[in-house]
Amino acid sequence: MTKPDPHRSGVIYANYFAHTKPHSVKYEEGLTYYLFRFQAEGTCRALVAGNYETIIPGDLLIYPPGQPYGLNVQPRNLTASGETQPASDYFLAGKGEWLDSWWANTSLPVKTNIGFDDTVLTLWKHIISEKKKMMQNLDEIMDYLLRTFCLTLEHVIGSIRAPRERIPCTSLSYS
């Protein structure tokens, strides 16, 4: 590994969780890190632009430091079977100079439904896996995985938000 780089960013924590019991969290004064949260299953309510909104599978939430955050998870009971439908999510918290610079140069919304993008979820799972190897010195790997993750999210969200252009089929030749 190379010598420490002060311009790096790091992953504070990352994981996947299936909530089978109610869970609530509130940071009224704002977070001290960047928080990425992806709803994988079930629904919840989260604070988005000052109001609580229903979050459905495929919704990605991104909160920068200083932004208030609130989450209310109420797993559903399936009446016929009596089982609980979990509300599952991926989450990642990070901080650092590179993230600060990246966020300052993007205009991503707090909430976007990105569907189940294979690349995003694969990167997320890889970050979770690497984060669990805490006994090893993986700062450089985590820095680059986080950068790749953020740039991939930016690309995916940009492709969703961009108007879809149609290419006119005016002169097809089958000769």
Side-chain angles (χ1 to χ4, degrees):
M1 301 276 163
T2 60
K3 61 184 176 179
D5 178 356
H7 302 292
R8 280 197 185 145
S9 289
V11 175
I12 301 166
Y13 59 84
N15 215 337
Y16 170 86
F17 196 82
H19 300 273
T20 56
K21 296 183 180 176
H23 171 72
S24 185
V25 64
K26 194 177 240 185
Y27 291 86
E28 292 176 348
E29 300 300 317
L31 297 166
T32 58
Y33 47 82
Y34 293 88
L35 177 65
F36 302 83
R37 185 181 184 284
F38 177 79
Q39 188 72 27
E41 182 181 11
T43 63
C44 68
R45 306 262 304 153
L47 189 62
V48 176
N51 297 308
Y52 276 88
E53 294 186 16
T54 299
I55 307 303
I56 63 172
D59 279 348
L60 172 71
L61 302 171
I62 306 174
Y63 295 88
Q67 184 164 343
Y69 172 66
L71 179 71
N72 196 354
V73 179
Q74 296 289 331
R76 282 188 343 168
N77 287 325
L78 303 175
T79 54
S81 65
E83 294 180 28
T84 301
Q85 178 191 19
S88 306
D89 62 277
Y90 290 89
F91 54 92
L92 184 153
K95 62 181 353 181
E97 286 185 31
W98 186 90
L99 266 175
D100 293 337
S101 176
W102 172 76
W103 185 257
N105 291 300
T106 63
S107 59
L108 300 178
V110 171
K111 175 185 169 187
T112 306
N113 191 293
I114 63 168
F116 287 82
D117 186 89
D118 287 337
T119 304
V120 169
L121 293 176
T122 298
L123 280 167
W124 215 314
K125 290 173 186 177
H126 191 63
I127 290 170
I128 291 168
S129 173
E130 292 297 329
K131 191 64 180 165
K132 289 180 181 178
K133 300 175 187 176
M134 282 302 292
M135 300 308 286
Q136 301 174 21
N137 185 7
L138 300 173
D139 291 344
E140 188 174 22
I141 291 172
M142 293 305 291
D143 175 41
Y144 285 106
L145 281 171
L146 183 56
R147 290 178 191 214
T148 303
F149 176 75
C150 291
L151 295 172
T152 300
L153 287 178
E154 185 177 353
H155 174 74
V156 168
I157 293 169
S159 67
I160 291 168
R161 294 172 70 192
R164 303 197 188 272
E165 295 180 19
R166 291 188 155 179
I167 300 171
C169 277
T170 55
S171 59
L172 292 178
S173 173
Y174 294 101
S175 42

